[in-house]
Amino acid sequence: MIEISGAMRRRVLLAAMALAAALPMAARAADEKKKKKSGGEHYIQIDTLIGTTNKSGGRRGVLTVDCGLEVEDAKLREYAELSLPRLRAAYVQVVQTYAAGLPSGSEPNADYIVQSLQRQTDLILKRPGARLLVGAIVAN
């Protein structure tokens, strides 16, 4: 018969308690992954894009663009999700460049911004099939 010391029992008990505490968190994380994302299962949310504008009197303004991608093809959607850092970097560059050249007091050209962002999407994903959806373009 093997004798277990008090220290060994405490270690086993602590390990069992830690495992019991971790199981509900793992189950919750799995449930959250299964939940439907906003915009549907084909929609990929992009964080808000921000660029700095110049206003009259030397003040600074902000141009913000809220957007996402609608990707029907499962393989392309998976590739797009893996490419999110590259997509976001390209989008931010487009918005910052456009915002820097925006004349003081003028409205942003939404068509131009959307076309530029869509062009970057197609270049990074290496083929068309992902549609850029814009929620709002705001210049303050």
Side-chain angles (χ1 to χ4, degrees):
M1 190 153 123
I2 299 175
E3 183 142 340
I4 299 176
S5 68
M8 183 64 117
R9 281 190 209 130
R10 280 191 298 273
R11 285 188 203 132
V12 170
L13 182 61
L14 286 174
M17 288 173 50
L19 182 61
L23 287 176
M25 286 191 277
R28 257 185 299 196
D31 286 343
E32 287 177 6
K33 280 189 175 184
K34 291 179 186 177
K35 285 184 182 177
K36 186 177 176 182
K37 297 180 280 184
S38 65
E41 66 182 67
H42 302 295
Y43 183 74
I44 301 172
Q45 177 70 38
I46 306 292
D47 292 335
T48 303
L49 309 171
I50 300 172
T52 306
T53 62
N54 293 315
K55 295 177 116 179
S56 62
R59 297 177 304 158
R60 299 284 183 183
V62 177
L63 175 70
T64 59
V65 179
D66 291 324
C67 63
L69 290 175
E70 181 76 32
V71 188
E72 299 288 330
D73 182 17
K75 285 186 177 181
L76 185 60
R77 185 172 50 257
E78 182 180 340
Y79 185 67
E81 288 174 351
L82 293 173
S83 301
L84 273 176
R86 288 186 63 211
L87 285 166
R88 179 154 171 72
Y91 294 164
V92 167
Q93 186 174 8
V94 166
V95 170
Q96 286 179 344
T97 303
Y98 180 80
L102 191 64
S104 176
S106 65
E107 294 182 12
N109 184 345
D111 291 333
Y112 178 81
I113 294 171
V114 170
Q115 286 175 351
S116 298
L117 295 176
Q118 183 66 56
R119 189 176 312 116
Q120 291 300 316
T121 303
D122 294 341
L123 283 172
I124 290 172
L125 297 182
K126 300 176 184 161
R127 67 180 174 120
R131 240 178 355 150
L132 183 88
L133 304 176
V134 174
I137 298 175
V138 180
N140 289 331

